[in-house]
Structures are given as C-alpha cells and as structure tokens.
Amino acid sequence: MMTKILLFDLDWTLIYTGGAGVRALDSAFERLFKIPQAMKKISPDGKTDPAICREMIRVILKREPEGGEIERLCRGYLDQLAKEIPASPGYRILPGIPALLDALAPRENILMGLGTGNLEEGARIKLARADFMKYFRFGGFGSDAEERPLVLRKGVERGEALAKKAIGPRDVVVIGDNIRDVQAGKAIGATTVAVATGPMTYEELAKTSPDHLFHDLSDTPAVLNVLAL
C-alpha cells in the first residue's frame, strides 16, 4: 500500500485547551514587560507561537523585538502553559478524535505526525492531558519556523526519514481547522482536509477550497475513507 504522511494541526483540530494558551501568553508578557492582557489585541488562530510573540511585541510595544525577547517570551509562555493545561476547566477533546486516532494508529502505511504552530514543548504539554502524544512520532512545529509552510515541510522531512523514502506531495495530508492550515498545505502541494471545529465556520473554510471539508471528525468511516485516499 502507498505510504501516507498525515499532519494534524493541534488547537481546535485535536483539542481545545479552554483558553490556557492565551492565559499563558498573557502571563508571560506581563512578567516580561509589565503590561497585562496583551492578547486582547492579538488573534492567535492559525499562527505559530514565535509569530504570535513577535506580533505581541509589535502591537503592544510598537516596535520590533530586540535581542532574545521572543525566546524569553516563549520560555515564559511554556513555563506558564505547564501550569495552565492541567488546571484548565475548559479543556476538551474534539469530536471523533479518539476513535479516529485509534483507527489510524495500527495502519502500517500511515505515518501520523503533527503540523502545528505550537512550539514542540508546548504541543507536548497540551496533548499530555489527553494522552495523545503516543500517536505522533514526529511533526513540524512552531519551534522549527515562524511560517506555516516551512513548519509543514519540516514535518514531511521527518516523516520521510521515518519511512526511509520520499513521499509524493499528494500523499501528504494536512488536517486543520483554519484557512492558514489549508493555505500552508496547498503551498507544499499536499492534500488538504479542513474541519470546522474551530472559530472558522464551514462556509469560511469552504472559500479556501480544501480538498475535503468536514463539520467535525466524528464520522470515523467517512474520515478514514478520505485520509486513506
């Protein structure tokens, strides 16, 4: 069977943290710059963590980041995130995800990875509560690059290293809830699957013309039919 790489977005695709990420970013920014609630002026959806930190500095401080500020802000964010996730009352797993991951995991021709704007450490923190990291042997992360297409390319490279062979672009499947996921997937020539479990509506996602579009991923046979292609 043809080997396929599946790259799953994390926030609003696999899980919702109940706002833990925003709270952690606010806390880190306030500790570093003494300004509270900075995320009120930032829309983080579909962006990488370093890009969000860069935008926070630009929007709130009205200047470009200076030496090491993004790294320090990211570090503070990760430290706070590790406290926020276990205690977040709104944390939830999104519809159909456990059944889908369980169904995909045994398939020898499927390599499941993450394609997420989260820093790798942040992704591990977020997924630990749901015990989902056991499904993902590799990924592309915000710690690899600020731009989503580069994040996905890194995920593909790591998947190919595990497969010990090159994988054709259309045998890479990018699954996400945001137009940025679809756009980044198209930028690397991948098959794109959009799911309307996040802030973006089904109709908004449809305008980006993903290869496949679902309201959610709860119909396991239908999703498997698409992902196995």
Side-chain angles (χ1 to χ4, degrees):
M1 297 178 69
M2 185 69 69
T3 301
K4 298 187 184 299
I5 292 175
L6 307 185
L7 295 177
F8 283 84
D9 178 49
L10 194 158
D11 295 291
W12 289 112
T13 299
L14 297 173
I15 58 141
Y16 170 57
T17 68
V22 169
R23 292 193 297 274
L25 283 164
D26 269 340
S27 176
F29 196 89
E30 184 171 6
R31 283 200 305 273
L32 194 57
F33 299 111
K34 313 304 180 189
I35 299 174
Q37 297 184 313
M39 285 299 292
K40 281 191 172 183
K41 296 183 178 181
I42 308 296
S43 175
D45 296 329
K47 301 172 185 175
T48 64
D49 285 343
I52 294 167
C53 290
R54 184 180 300 278
E55 185 175 346
M56 292 174 79
I57 292 169
R58 284 174 171 171
V59 171
I60 306 303
L61 302 182
K62 310 295 185 185
R63 62 171 175 79
E64 292 297 316
E66 297 173 355
E69 285 181 335
I70 290 178
E71 291 77 9
R72 291 199 299 275
L73 187 52
C74 283
R75 183 68 259 163
Y77 157 72
L78 291 170
D79 291 344
Q80 185 63 27
L81 188 68
K83 301 173 185 177
E84 292 282 351
I85 289 293
S88 179
Y91 186 103
R92 68 178 187 268
I93 296 167
L94 292 170
I97 294 301
L100 178 61
L101 297 181
D102 282 339
L104 287 167
R107 299 196 177 198
E108 294 183 359
N109 68 312
I110 297 294
L111 295 173
M112 280 198 292
L114 295 170
T116 173
N118 282 274
L119 299 164
E120 183 172 1
E121 184 178 340
R124 292 182 181 278
I125 291 169
K126 287 182 177 182
L127 293 183
R129 180 168 168 176
D131 193 26
F132 279 172
M133 276 307 300
K134 63 187 178 185
Y135 294 105
F136 302 106
R137 298 167 59 194
F138 66 99
F141 303 94
S143 37
D144 295 312
E146 285 193 33
E147 298 77 25
R148 291 301 290 251
L150 296 179
V151 167
L152 295 181
R153 287 195 180 100
K154 181 56 70 173
V156 172
E157 287 175 13
R158 290 176 176 140
E160 289 178 329
L162 284 173
K164 297 182 180 179
K165 62 180 179 180
I167 306 295
R170 294 297 288 172
D171 290 319
V172 175
V173 185
V174 173
I175 306 104
D177 67 283
N178 192 279
I179 61 170
R180 290 186 173 91
D181 298 308
V182 178
Q183 291 166 345
K186 288 184 175 184
I188 67 166
T191 299
T192 53
V193 177
V195 55
T197 43
M200 291 196 161
T201 66
Y202 187 93
E203 291 73 23
E204 286 172 325
L205 289 169
K207 292 177 182 178
T208 66
S209 300
D211 292 294
H212 307 279
L213 176 58
F214 293 94
H215 287 284
D216 62 39
L217 300 179
S218 58
D219 187 343
T220 304
V223 179
L224 287 175
N225 186 56
V226 163
L227 295 184
L229 302 177

